[in-house]
Amino acid sequence: GSDLSSSSGSGHSSNAIKWVEDVVSVLRRSHPTLMTEVEKMLDEFSRRFKPEPEEELLGAVHALILKCFKQQLSRDDKVPHVLQTTIKRVCRKFFTPDPKMGNKKHLAFVQKYKRSFEHDFLPEGSRFPLTLGILLKKLKRWKAHLQYKVGERSQIYLRLEKLSPYLIRFQSYDIEIPGQYLTDQEPQVD
């Protein structure tokens, strides 16, 4: 109804979040065992299927390319200050190692890419692109490289036993699925 006709994007997301919280609350009360199992699965999936740092950087590089296309053209084709600031934020986000995390993958990623990425894109760097055209060319080169690296990894077949031990061990005898007893018959096992 009228909740969905609001023009603000944040109103939609806060309504959606509230609705999800309401549904989860009802399910927890009426089917606590099922919800516990679903939450365990979701927790494992969120831990084991996080995007790799290269995938995240690829998304950021793609966003920077789109941002370049949205810039107004000028006679001198200089890289706008707002774009320089965004690039600095990207560098800070991806290449500042967090010693508290101790994430070996992230540290290896920082060691592998930090120097050349910052060298290419930080305004203080010696190879910072002076024009929007050169910046776009460098971003496209990085995008192609990261797509290759990400695509290389996607060709690997993963075994469910390694990715989700919880799902492999999952037993459903104790769980009643909502609607399973709508008739007077025992549920059919397929």
Side-chain angles (χ1 to χ4, degrees), residues 41-57:
M41 284 181 211
L42 290 174
D43 180 54
E44 183 173 66
F45 291 159
S46 70
R47 280 185 286 114
R48 294 189 183 263
F49 294 101
K50 275 194 239 179
E52 295 293 326
E54 286 89 353
E55 291 174 275
E56 291 186 24
L57 182 58

Side-chain angles (χ1 to χ4, degrees), residues 99-133:
K100 293 179 285 183
M101 284 179 59
N103 185 336
K104 291 178 184 174
K105 280 184 186 179
H106 182 71
L107 290 175
F109 167 80
V110 168
Q111 287 176 336
K112 184 174 183 177
Y113 292 109
K114 177 181 171 112
R115 183 180 300 149
S116 57
F117 193 88
E118 288 182 346
H119 195 62
D120 278 352
F121 294 112
L122 277 184
E124 300 83 33
S126 60
R127 294 191 302 182
F128 181 74
L130 299 176
T131 67
L132 206 50

